[in-house]
């Protein structure tokens, strides 16, 4: 019979554990999560987040997902730059809509064009670039034009596409292609200087003009001996674009291309109307020793293109002659003035740049927890990234912006998500150990101090001053023999539920259920810093013991009506030093409280079992009395020998509160 009672008590004990402390299948699942994702340090979390985010972002970048965004940022940075003044080494003879109408339509006759060239040559330009197709005669005046085109300072154009040939009288060394290469979204951002076709090198219109002008001053392009593929030309070092230069990831980098550094969005060089040239109303300083570029700006000719400025201009198009002049001015400024050409970092440097900003995002998310401060600091970091990129852009450096921004955002979100998961995991650990058996105020305090309390998924042992409380039912063995197990379990759960509520209402923590009893603690797991706090815990414990008696009277009246047993209970309370923390191994843990104070409280509950004059007997020792004597009436029982204790303990029975709470 004794063995059956013990088995049943074990069943009750296990049932209460499941109902009140969340020690269930969920706890096992939580332990499995802990194995897979331990409590990581900040460095480890940031490192893992950086590596994972970097791998993802750089992988997506290789697929070209960020190229469009990088080009949009490039355009915006270009728009933010201040325009340079017109290039004084160049003049543009502009053929407008008014000029076309005055000359009777398009194309201009050969005689008109010959007259333009003759008038310009009179003022000794160093080079003339004719950005007009002249593969077919446009009479009258074709012989006159052919004669003018024989001048060695004239550069004509052809189109690289089949079917558009240069003027037949112009030799190949004075021909340049005027093809412009645009990106997939439309704008012209690159200067295609040369390409090889059928074993023959073809030079661009702007490059031919630059070579003619700079060669007259003794500057000739030379291949670099230290940097294969680069060209040294005066003060400039020209580096060809690669398929992954800057923000590009899938660039068609055939031929020799450089990024086009626009001089101005409108006036790249002084402009002379065609009508002024035909009327010979020219000043010598407009022409002499300069490069003269002849081309049309009339929209009806449709030689217009998108540029990085297009999204911010009322007229989004730029005529082709102005773009060629931009390219020409860029080369002259780089070779003669040392103006930097656009440069990009090597691939490894861009990778480090991206990883660095991802690490910044992860670090910020780990160090800053405030929900309002974190987005502000993250935003400041993003602005800082853009500002650094802008500063580099003003120095002709183009570095990725969208890729590190996305990486920074993902790193912040990832670490925040991990922190949220880790916080949830830590909360589950705390509540698994302390469970529903703590008052809400205690649970909140525990959660706020979780980083200090939790270490490696455990509550490390710490010495505390706490008040321990033990309860037990009188004659429970006799009652259990008289009731069916199912009814006994339901009756006992009703009783323990009431006691649990009382303990929580008085800021206590239920440490464990001992079959028909409870072990509770007041003053754990947060250490008390003053005697006032320790005294408050003692008063709460004693008050909860008296409250248990009041609630038990209500239960007994209800049980009597239902034909259930009425009972008495005992409470033992002791205040002293304990050690509290996680007990158990990796597979099974619980919040344990050990120490002599625990043993004394347990012995006070069970001592002198027959001396019970009330429905709920509450015994305390002198160590608790010194904290409560002004608030409670007590009955001195004198020094008593407790089981397992060599020295006697001065015992008191708590009778009532001196000033009952309203």
């Amino acid at each position: 019979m004794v063995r059956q009672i013990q088995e049943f008590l074990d069943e009750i004990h296990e049932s209460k554990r499941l109902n009140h402390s969340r020690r269930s299948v969920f706890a096992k699942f939580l332990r499995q999560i802990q194995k897979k994702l331990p409590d990581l340090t900040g460095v480890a979390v940031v490192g893992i987040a950086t590596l994972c985010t970097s791998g993802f972002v750089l992988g997506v970048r290789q697929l070209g997902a960020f190229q469009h965004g990088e080009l949009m940022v490039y355009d915006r940075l270009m728009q933010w730059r201040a325009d340079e003044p017109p290039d004084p080494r160049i003049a543009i003879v502009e053929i407008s809509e008014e000029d076309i109408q005055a000359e009777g339509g398009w194309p201009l006759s050969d005689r008109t064009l010959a007259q333009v060239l003759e008038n310009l040559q009179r003022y000794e330009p160093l080079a003339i670039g004719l950005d007009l197709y002249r593969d077919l005669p446009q009479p009258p005046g074709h012989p006159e034009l052919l004669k003018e085109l024989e001048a060695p300072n004239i550069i004509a154009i052809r189109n690289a596409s089949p079917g558009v040939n240069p003027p037949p009288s112009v030799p190949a060394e004075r021909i340049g292609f005027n093809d412009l290469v645009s990106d997939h979204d439309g704008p012209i951002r690159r200067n295609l200087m040369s390409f090889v076709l059928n074993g023959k090198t073809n030079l661009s219109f702007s490059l031919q003009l630059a070579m003619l002008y700079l060669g007259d001053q003794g500057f000739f392009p030379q291949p670099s001996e230290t940097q294969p593929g680069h060209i040294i030309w005066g003060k400039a070092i020209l580096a060809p674009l690669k398929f992954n230069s800057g923000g590009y990831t899938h660039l068609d980098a055939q031929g020799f291309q450089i990024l086009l550094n626009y001089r101005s969005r409108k006036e790249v060089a002084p402009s002379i109307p065609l009508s002024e040239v035909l009327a010979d109303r020219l000043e010598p300083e407009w022409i002499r020793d300069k490069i003269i570029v002849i081309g049309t700006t009339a929209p009806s000719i449709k030689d217009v293109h998108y540029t990085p400025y297009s999204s911010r201009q009322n007229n989004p198009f730029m005529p082709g002659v102005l773009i060629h002049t931009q390219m020409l001015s860029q080369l002259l400024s780089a070779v003669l003035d040392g103006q930097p050409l656009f440069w990009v970092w090597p691939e490894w440097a861009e990778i480090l740049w991206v990883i660095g900003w991802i690490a910044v995002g992860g670090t910020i998310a780990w160090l800053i927890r405030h929900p309002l401060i974190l987005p502000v600091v993250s935003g400041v970091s993003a602005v800082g990234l853009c500002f650094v990129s802008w500063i580099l852009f003003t120095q002709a450096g183009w570095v990725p912006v969208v890729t590190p921004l996305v990486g920074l955002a993902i790193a912040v979100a990832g670490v925040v998500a991990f922190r949220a998961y880790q916080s949830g995991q830590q909360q589950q650990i705390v509540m698994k150990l302390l469970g529903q058996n703590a008052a809400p105020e205690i649970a909140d305090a525990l959660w706020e101090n979780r980083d200090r309390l939790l270490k490696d998924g455990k509550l490390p042992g710490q010495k505390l001053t706490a008040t321990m409380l033990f309860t037990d039912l009188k004659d429970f063995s006799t009652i259990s023999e008289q009731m069916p197990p199912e009814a006994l379990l339901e009756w006992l759960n009703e009783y323990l539920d009431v006691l649990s509520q009382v303990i929580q209402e008085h800021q206590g923590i239920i440490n464990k259920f001992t079959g028909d009893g409870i072990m509770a603690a007041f003053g754990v797991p947060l250490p008390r810093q003053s005697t006032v706090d320790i005294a408050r815990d003692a008063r709460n414990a004693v008050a909860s013991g008296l409250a248990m008696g009041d609630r038990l009277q209500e239960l007994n009246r209800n049980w009597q009506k239902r034909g259930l047993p009425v009972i008495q209970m005992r409470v033992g309370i002791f205040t002293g030093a304990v050690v509290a923390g996680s007990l158990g191994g990796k597979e099974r843990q619980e919040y344990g409280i050990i120490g002599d104070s625990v043993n004394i409280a347990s012995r006070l509950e069970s001592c002198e079992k027959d001396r019970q004059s009330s429905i709920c007997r509450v015994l305390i020792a002198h160590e608790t009395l010194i904290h409560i004597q002004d608030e409670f009436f007590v009955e001195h029982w004198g020094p008593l020998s407790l089981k397992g204790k060599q020295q006697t303990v001065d015992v008191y029975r708590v009778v009532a509160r001196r000033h009952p709470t309203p």
Side-chain angles (χ1 to χ4, degrees):
M1 186 65 179
V2 174
R3 185 177 62 83
Q4 293 176 340
I5 293 175
Q6 183 62 47
E7 290 177 353
F8 184 60
L9 289 176
D10 291 343
E11 180 182 351
I12 294 174
H13 178 58
E14 183 64 22
S15 174
K16 295 305 298 178
R17 285 161 58 103
L18 293 174
N19 289 337
H20 292 276
S21 64
R22 300 182 184 178
R23 299 179 182 122
S24 60
V25 175
F26 178 73
K28 183 178 180 181
F29 172 72
L30 182 61
R31 287 193 294 271
Q32 294 299 320
I33 293 179
Q34 286 179 254
K35 289 181 180 179
K36 296 179 180 179
L37 190 58
D39 187 17
L40 299 173
T41 64
V43 174
V45 171
V46 173
I48 292 174
T50 300
L51 290 176
C52 294
T53 304
S54 299
F56 172 77
V57 170
L58 292 173
V60 173
R61 177 177 182 247
Q62 289 300 112
L63 298 176
F66 302 134
Q67 178 171 293
H68 180 71
E70 297 287 4
L71 294 177
M72 294 298 98
V73 172
Y74 175 91
D75 291 349
R76 187 54 55 90
L77 294 175
M78 184 71 74
Q79 294 164 11
W80 287 347
R81 295 193 319 169
D83 288 346
E84 297 181 41
D87 195 330
R89 296 162 296 209
I90 307 171
I92 301 173
V93 174
E94 180 181 350
I95 305 173
S96 64
E97 292 285 3
E98 291 78 9
D99 294 320
I100 293 175
Q101 293 175 8
E103 294 301 317
W106 187 261
L108 299 179
S109 69
D110 290 345
R111 177 166 295 164
T112 298
L113 192 53
Q115 185 65 51
V116 169
L117 294 176
E118 180 182 353
N119 290 351
L120 290 172
Q121 293 285 19
R122 192 176 299 122
Y123 295 93
E124 300 179 354
L126 200 150
I128 297 177
L130 186 60
D131 186 27
L132 298 172
Y133 290 126
R134 226 58 186 177
D135 54 331
L136 297 175
Q138 300 294 332
H142 186 61
E144 300 168 23
L145 177 60
L146 293 180
K147 181 179 179 181
E148 292 295 334
L149 290 176
E150 293 176 357
N153 64 342
I154 292 180
I155 302 295
I157 62 168
R158 69 174 179 83
N159 193 282
S161 303
V164 183
N165 298 315
S169 61
V170 180
E173 61 269 17
R174 291 197 285 111
I175 298 294
F177 64 84
N178 72 333
D179 301 72
L180 299 173
V181 290
S182 61
D183 290 321
H184 293 297
D185 56 345
I188 306 295
R189 301 185 181 95
R190 293 169 282 142
N191 178 1
L192 176 61
M193 298 174 60
S194 68
F195 67 89
V196 177
L197 181 64
N198 299 324
K200 180 182 178 181
T201 300
N202 298 266
L203 304 182
S204 70
F205 176 58
S206 58
L207 178 59
Q208 287 280 39
L209 285 171
M211 291 175 65
L212 184 60
Y213 181 88
L214 295 170
D216 184 73
Q217 302 184 38
F219 295 100
F220 300 96
Q222 301 291 333
S224 173
E225 297 180 356
T226 58
Q227 297 174 290
H230 290 47
I231 294 175
I232 299 176
W233 196 358
K235 297 179 180 180
I237 299 178
L238 282 68
L241 289 175
K242 300 180 180 179
F243 74 95
N244 60 351
S245 293
Y248 287 110
T249 50
H250 290 78
L251 173 65
D252 181 2
Q254 298 184 46
F256 196 105
Q257 303 180 44
I258 61 174
L259 286 170
L260 175 52
N261 192 350
Y262 283 82
R263 186 181 187 92
S264 171
R265 66 200 70 201
K266 291 184 178 180
E267 192 175 3
V268 61
S271 179
I272 305 172
L274 178 68
S275 58
E276 296 294 309
V277 178
L278 289 173
D280 198 15
R281 293 192 291 267
L282 302 174
E283 297 293 337
E285 61 270 17
W286 296 357
I287 310 297
R288 183 171 290 116
D289 296 331
K290 294 186 178 183
I291 302 174
I292 308 301
V293 183
I294 304 172
T296 177
T297 59
S300 62
I301 306 305
K302 297 182 180 180
D303 182 20
V304 290
H305 307 271
Y306 287 107
T307 70
Y309 302 109
S310 295
S311 62
R312 296 292 296 272
Q313 288 183 298
N314 294 330
N315 182 3
F317 299 105
M318 182 177 289
V321 65
L322 296 185
I323 295 178
H324 290 297
T325 307
Q326 301 271 12
M327 296 175 175
L328 173 59
S329 177
Q330 177 185 19
L331 292 175
L332 299 183
S333 298
V335 175
L336 297 177
D337 305 333
Q339 184 183 69
L341 296 166
F342 270 117
W343 51 266
V344 297
W345 281 334
E347 181 72 7
W348 63 266
E350 291 185 349
I351 291 175
L352 290 180
W353 165 259
V354 172
I355 293 176
W357 283 106
I358 291 174
V360 168
T363 302
I364 289 173
W366 182 260
L367 295 178
I368 300 176
R369 302 185 182 185
H370 197 283
L372 297 179
I373 297 178
L374 177 59
V376 171
V377 176
S378 300
V380 170
S381 300
V383 171
L385 190 162
C386 296
F387 180 75
V388 173
S389 301
W390 159 246
I391 293 299
L392 293 174
F393 195 83
T394 60
Q395 305 302 312
W398 184 31
V399 299
V401 177
V402 174
T403 306
L405 272 179
V406 172
L408 187 149
I410 293 177
V412 170
V415 173
V416 168
F418 175 81
R419 290 188 66 91
Y421 170 78
Q422 188 184 50
S423 296
Q425 187 182 26
Q426 290 175 337
Q427 187 176 29
Q428 290 169 353
I429 293 171
V430 171
M431 297 311 295
K432 178 171 71 73
L433 294 173
L434 303 173
Q436 297 172 337
N437 309 320
E441 295 83 359
I442 297 293
D444 290 342
L446 292 174
W447 186 236
E448 290 175 0
N449 292 272
R450 63 188 182 277
D451 286 344
R452 180 167 56 86
L453 292 174
L454 285 172
K455 184 178 181 181
D456 298 329
K458 297 181 180 180
L459 288 171
Q462 57 180 334
K463 188 175 181 180
L464 307 165
T465 299
T467 299
M468 303 302 301
L469 179 148
F470 279 81
T471 73
D472 196 27
L473 284 177
K474 185 179 180 182
D475 300 327
F476 176 71
S477 298
T478 302
I479 296 173
S480 64
E481 291 179 350
Q482 299 171 356
M483 296 181 66
E486 296 81 1
L488 179 62
L489 180 62
E490 183 177 353
W491 172 79
L492 188 59
N493 278 337
E494 189 175 352
Y495 161 74
L496 292 175
D497 183 59
V498 170
L499 264 60
S500 300
Q501 294 177 21
V502 172
I503 292 171
Q504 293 182 21
E505 289 169 359
H506 290 80
Q507 311 303 308
I509 290 178
I510 299 174
N511 184 245
K512 64 178 62 176
F513 294 92
T514 58
D516 60 324
I518 291 177
M519 172 184 170
F522 296 77
V524 298
L526 301 177
R528 299 319 190 202
Q529 304 298 327
S530 67
T531 56
V532 174
D533 294 331
I534 296 172
R536 184 185 302 113
D537 292 330
R539 290 194 298 271
N540 285 338
V542 173
S544 69
L546 293 177
M548 289 177 187
D550 297 336
R551 299 293 296 275
L552 185 56
Q553 285 184 344
E554 298 175 5
L555 281 174
N556 278 338
R557 286 194 293 268
N558 181 273
W559 286 339
Q560 191 172 21
K561 294 178 182 179
R562 293 157 53 192
L564 296 172
V566 294
I567 57 173
Q568 293 179 310
M569 63 178 292
R570 298 183 299 271
V571 177
I573 299 174
F574 186 83
T575 303
V578 298
V579 175
S582 296
L583 287 177
K586 295 181 179 179
E587 296 298 324
R588 189 178 183 88
Q589 295 183 35
E590 66 178 17
Y591 185 68
I593 305 174
I594 60 175
D596 192 48
S597 299
V598 179
N599 298 331
I600 295 176
S602 176
R603 298 296 184 262
L604 284 171
E605 174 272 313
S606 61
C607 84
E608 305 271 339
K609 290 185 177 182
D610 295 333
R611 293 179 63 179
Q612 181 152 352
S613 57
S614 62
I615 191 173
C616 179
R617 188 193 74 179
V618 180
L619 295 185
I620 64 174
H622 181 266
E623 286 78 359
T624 302
L625 178 67
I626 60 178
H627 297 294
I628 68 161
Q629 55 187 352
D630 293 335
E631 294 192 22
F632 297 89
F633 292 106
V634 298
E635 175 185 289
H636 189 202
W637 281 20
L640 297 179
S641 297
L642 302 182
K643 183 179 179 181
K645 300 293 296 181
Q646 295 181 355
Q647 297 180 350
T648 60
V649 175
D650 201 13
V651 179
Y652 298 81
R653 183 176 77 88
V654 181
V655 178
R657 184 186 286 269
R658 288 182 183 273
H659 305 287
T661 56

